[in-house]
């Protein structure tokens, strides 16, 4: 398993407010993604970067009651990373082996035994 990126992720229904806050801290919008996931819900978010090379991702989700903070862990092999986390006691927040799939990525929120969360993600490239 190879990590391809590792950074904070904020899931919120108030994307504009959170993005503005990080812009005020010197972050710039680098990428805006928008897709429909496997259960038909729209997902969108921003990848932001500051002058020091720090990244933060902000994802929109109307279903959250309050903002969620987790670590985005992009990997080159989702299945391998998923199994690795399960072996260490992590649980899938959506239920066993349930993933969020779009045309550009596959992801699952994985909760550690102690309570912190990873957004495990693999980007799907056009040639895959």
């Amino acid at each position: 398993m190879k990590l391809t990126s590792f950074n904070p992720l904020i899931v919120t229904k108030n994307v504009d407010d959170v993005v503005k806050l990080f812009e005020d801290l010197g972050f710039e919008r680098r990428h805006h993604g928008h897709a429909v996931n496997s259960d038909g819900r729209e997902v969108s978010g921003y990848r932001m970067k500051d002058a020091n090379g720090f990244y933060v991702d902000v994802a929109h989700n109307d279903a959250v009651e309050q903002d969620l903070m987790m670590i985005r862990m992009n990997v080159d092999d989702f299945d391998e990373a998923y199994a690795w986390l399960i072996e260490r006691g992590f649980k899938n927040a959506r239920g066993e082996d349930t993933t969020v799939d779009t045309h550009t990525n596959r992801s699952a929120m994985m909760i550690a035994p102690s309570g912190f969360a990873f957004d495990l993600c693999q980007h799907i490239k056009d040639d895959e």
Side-chain angles (χ1 to χ4, degrees):
M1 168 183 69
K2 176 183 167 193
L3 296 177
T4 57
S5 68
F6 196 86
N7 58 270
L9 165 65
I10 301 167
V11 180
T12 181
K13 61 176 95 177
N14 302 308
V15 170
D16 293 338
D17 294 341
V18 174
V19 167
K20 172 77 170 93
L21 173 76
F22 280 91
E23 286 175 335
D24 291 347
L25 286 169
F27 284 78
E28 296 179 0
R29 299 176 197 202
R30 303 289 295 199
H31 173 72
H32 177 244
H34 183 85
V36 176
N37 71 23
S38 54
D39 64 7
R41 289 187 298 146
E42 291 188 29
V43 292
S44 66
Y46 290 94
R47 182 148 179 84
M48 302 180 76
K49 182 179 180 183
D50 79 351
N52 296 308
F54 296 118
Y55 285 92
V56 65
D57 294 337
V58 181
H60 179 257
N61 186 330
D62 278 328
V64 297
E65 292 183 27
Q66 65 182 36
D67 292 353
L68 299 174
M69 182 70 202
M70 63 189 81
I71 300 169
R72 180 175 179 176
M73 182 169 73
N74 283 5
V75 295
D76 65 338
D77 185 327
F78 182 92
D79 293 328
E80 179 184 11
Y82 187 92
W84 189 87
L85 291 169
I86 293 292
E87 288 172 8
R88 285 155 180 81
F90 282 74
K91 303 284 186 210
N92 184 331
R94 298 181 121 231
E96 189 173 329
D97 296 331
T98 302
T99 59
V100 175
D101 299 289
T102 71
H103 69 281
T104 60
N105 75 43
R106 182 177 183 204
S107 66
M109 187 168 117
M110 303 297 291
I111 310 294
S114 63
F116 73 89
F118 284 127
D119 176 39
L120 177 63
C121 182
Q122 179 182 356
H123 284 293
I124 308 300
K125 298 179 178 75
D126 289 336
D127 60 345
E128 291 181 0

